[in-house]
Amino acid sequence: FINDISVPTKIATLTSVTSVSAGHKHSLFKTKDGMYVTGSNEFGQLCEGAIGQSVRTPSLLDTGTTIENINQFEAIKSSSYILYSDGSVESCGRNNFGQLGDATNINKVRTNVALGGGDISRLLGVGPSSESVFFVTNDGDVFGTGLNTFGQLGTGDKVNKNTPTMVKFPTSVSLNVVSAGVDHTCALQSLEILTNHPTSLPSLNPSHGPTRSSSPTRPGLQLFSWGDPKSFGLNGADFLFPAELQAGVIYAGAGSEYTVIVSTDGAALSAGLINSIGNYKGHLGRGNVVVGTNSAQPILLVWDSNKSAFVEA
């Protein structure tokens, strides 16, 4: 018997969870004793079992190794990825755009990502709405595979890829975060790494916003983004290469046609495309939205703990 759940509910069968990653209809859990999967297996995205056979309670995934040998377990929309401590990556699930990165477009229950050339991955870049995925190597190179209709792979074109292809950054990078959306991608890295700043950068900073000097500040990171610029609050042609947008960011997440940014003073900003007010679900966290491109603006109000009134964020 299945019911919708509208409040956070403890999953009794899981303990000592260290990370969680969710796709469109499946969830992955990394715990201190193993990895667990649950949800839809329509395309083999649970990395085990029969394609099309869903799992309704978390099931322990047999990887043939111990949990200490697994660095990341991540999901995109209908695919999943396992990053091992030796830098190799396995993938599973939907592969219609080449998002499994195994040089085919065939759905798989488990396959190896074809990084090639001895490249060793240290970080995966994913997102729950994405049909693209990114691999950051120990050498600082970044590779992407999958859907590329808006240039969201950053490879300089709009051709889908089924093998990991190098992302063309304007300078050498060492990324801390890569967040993939349905039509764009965001990445963050330490400012100390940058060696060749352009003289003029597109800015996401709002023209007017509150000063939050009472909040403690943290070291800022440099934000890059590429793909459909409307999803990060800018107009114009698609960004086929990563562009340096602004510094002073500690986190950025790419969603379905929108972006959320956290600045060093703790303020949260959102930007993105609203196709119609009727379809706006509140995902920008703001009431002051317009049909079309919404530039980056602070999220000023949130519900209180009783959901009875708005309070300042």
Side-chain angles (χ1 to χ4, degrees), residues 128-163:
S129 66
S130 179
E131 295 182 277
S132 313
V133 65
F134 295 86
F135 312 91
V136 182
T137 73
N138 281 344
D139 294 331
D141 294 326
V142 185
F143 295 85
T145 190
L147 185 66
N148 198 30
T149 50
F150 294 91
Q152 60 263 53
L153 291 184
T155 54
D157 56 38
K158 295 185 179 183
V159 179
N160 298 338
K161 306 289 192 294
N162 63 16
T163 57

Side-chain angles (χ1 to χ4, degrees), residues 48-73:
E48 69 172 5
I51 291 180
Q53 183 176 335
S54 297
V55 174
R56 293 182 176 175
T57 57
S59 172
L60 181 65
L61 179 64
D62 181 9
T63 62
T65 188
T66 63
I67 192 65
E68 290 77 16
N69 291 324
I70 296 170
N71 288 353
Q72 281 183 266
F73 189 29

Side-chain angles (χ1 to χ4, degrees), residues 6 24 37 98 102 106 111 123 132 162 179-180 187 189-190 194 202 217 239 242 265 276 295 297 304:
S6 58
H24 181 51
V37 297
D102 67 347
I106 301 170
T111 188
L123 178 69
S132 313
N162 63 16
S179 179
Q189 78 156 2
S190 173
L194 297 175
T217 59
F239 287 22
D265 63 1
S276 73
S295 63
Q297 297 291 334
D304 65 14

Side-chain angles (χ1 to χ4, degrees), residues 196-209:
N196 184 27
H197 289 282
T199 57
S200 179
L201 304 180
S203 176
L204 297 184
N205 284 316
S207 56
H208 297 91

Side-chain angles (χ1 to χ4, degrees), residues 52-271:
Q53 183 176 335
S54 297
V55 174
R56 293 182 176 175
T57 57
S59 172
L60 181 65
L61 179 64
D62 181 9
T63 62
T65 188
T66 63
I67 192 65
E68 290 77 16
N69 291 324
I70 296 170
N71 288 353
Q72 281 183 266
F73 189 29
E74 305 288 355
I76 60 172
K77 184 175 181 179
S78 300
S79 313
S80 303
Y81 303 84
I82 305 169
L83 171 58
Y84 293 93
S85 57
D86 65 0
S88 63
V89 183
E90 287 187 327
S91 56
C92 62
R94 195 168 195 181
N95 201 25
N96 54 328
F97 299 118
Q99 55 265 53
L100 297 189
D102 67 347
T104 78
N105 289 79
I106 301 170
N107 302 338
K108 305 278 177 54
V109 171
R110 194 86 66 86
T111 188
N112 294 310
V113 174
L115 269 175
D119 289 305
I120 298 174
S121 294
R122 67 168 178 83
L123 178 69
L124 299 177
V126 299
S129 66
S130 179
E131 295 182 277
S132 313
V133 65
F134 295 86
F135 312 91
V136 182
T137 73
N138 281 344
D139 294 331
D141 294 326
V142 185
F143 295 85
T145 190
L147 185 66
N148 198 30
T149 50
F150 294 91
Q152 60 263 53
L153 291 184
T155 54
D157 56 38
K158 295 185 179 183
V159 179
N160 298 338
K161 306 289 192 294
N162 63 16
T163 57
T165 303
M166 187 175 291
V167 180
K168 298 180 179 180
F169 280 84
T171 184
S172 59
V173 294
S174 180
L175 299 181
N176 304 66
V177 173
V178 181
S179 179
V182 67
D183 59 1
H184 71 299
T185 308
C186 298
L188 295 174
Q189 78 156 2
S190 173
L191 286 171
E192 288 79 6
I193 302 297
L194 297 175
T195 59
N196 184 27
H197 289 282
T199 57
S200 179
L201 304 180
S203 176
L204 297 184
N205 284 316
S207 56
H208 297 91
T211 299
R212 297 176 181 266
S213 56
S214 60
S215 300
T217 59
R218 293 170 54 184
L221 303 174
Q222 175 68 48
L223 171 64
F224 290 87
S225 197
W226 56 97
D228 189 345
K230 293 186 291 295
S231 294
F232 40 91
L234 300 174
N235 289 308
D238 294 334
F239 287 22
L240 303 185
F241 304 96
E244 296 176 39
L245 294 186
Q246 76 179 63
V249 175
I250 61 172
Y251 186 76
S256 296
E257 300 183 328
Y258 73 102
T259 304
V260 176
I261 301 164
V262 181
S263 61
T264 53
D265 63 1
L269 300 90
S270 63

Side-chain angles (χ1 to χ4, degrees), residues 287-298:
N288 59 328
V289 298
V290 298
V291 173
T293 304
N294 290 262
S295 63
Q297 297 291 334

